[in-house]
């Protein structure tokens, strides 16, 4: 991932938004990373969002993943995978059972990255 101030010269930059939609109003702690960048830990209250953007790798090798913590449980999910995702504005809703975008909901990964 690139820092927000970097410009994409070949591809359009990717915008990711993650919103806390935990059903019982719990706070969500998230931590997003890629191979090259660590975006740090962020606390989201109910309905709050965290946003970042980056320039994708030319060969579709971009992989960004996030861990999500609530009620002492840790879950993680590939929030952007350049080999399968084709969104330029990737909007995610985090619920107890899945990470959801405009196409559907997806189970969290079982094993940590």
């Amino acid at each position: 991932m690139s820092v927000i101030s970097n410009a994409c010269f070949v591809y359009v930059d990717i915008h990711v938004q993650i919103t806390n939609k935990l059903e019982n109003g719990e706070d969500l702690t998230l931590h997003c990373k890629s191979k090259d960048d660590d975006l740090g830990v962020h606390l989201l209250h109910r309905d709050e969002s965290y946003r970042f953007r980056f320039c994708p790798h030319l060969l579709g090798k971009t992989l960004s993943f996030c861990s999500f913590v609530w009620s002492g449980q840790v879950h993680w999910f590939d929030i952007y995978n350049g080999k399968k995702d084709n969104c330029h504005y990737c909007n995610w809703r985090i619920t107890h059972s899945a990470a959801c975008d405009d196409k559907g909901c997806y189970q969290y990964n079982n094993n940590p990255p």
Side-chain angles (χ1 to χ4, degrees):
M1 282 183 275
S2 298
V3 183
I4 289 176
S5 62
N6 288 352
C8 294
F9 296 106
V10 177
Y11 289 110
V12 175
D13 53 345
I14 304 298
H15 297 256
V16 175
Q17 177 175 300
I18 302 166
T19 303
N20 175 0
K21 289 295 187 180
L22 294 174
E23 293 83 356
N24 64 358
E26 290 177 272
D27 287 343
L28 172 68
T29 302
L30 64 91
H31 188 182
C32 297
K33 298 180 180 185
S34 73
K35 177 182 170 188
D36 300 320
D37 294 298
D38 184 334
L39 299 178
V41 176
H42 301 274
L43 177 67
L44 300 180
H45 302 295
R46 173 78 177 161
D47 295 325
E48 288 184 338
S49 297
Y50 172 68
R51 296 173 185 89
F52 64 95
R53 71 181 193 204
F54 59 92
C55 296
H57 189 276
L58 296 176
L59 301 176
K61 294 181 180 181
T62 304
L63 178 62
S64 298
F65 57 91
C66 301
S67 65
F68 305 104
V69 180
W70 66 84
S71 298
Q73 298 179 20
V74 179
H75 306 274
W76 72 275
F77 186 74
D78 293 340
I79 211 74
Y80 182 86
N81 183 336
K83 293 185 179 185
K84 66 179 181 84
D85 293 324
N86 61 2
C87 56
H88 292 289
Y89 292 90
C90 309
N91 296 306
W92 291 97
R93 298 172 312 279
I94 303 305
T95 70
H96 284 105
S97 59
C100 303
D101 66 4
D102 296 335
K103 298 175 202 157
C105 292
Y106 310 91
Q107 297 297 310
Y108 297 110
N109 298 326
N110 293 326
N111 300 316

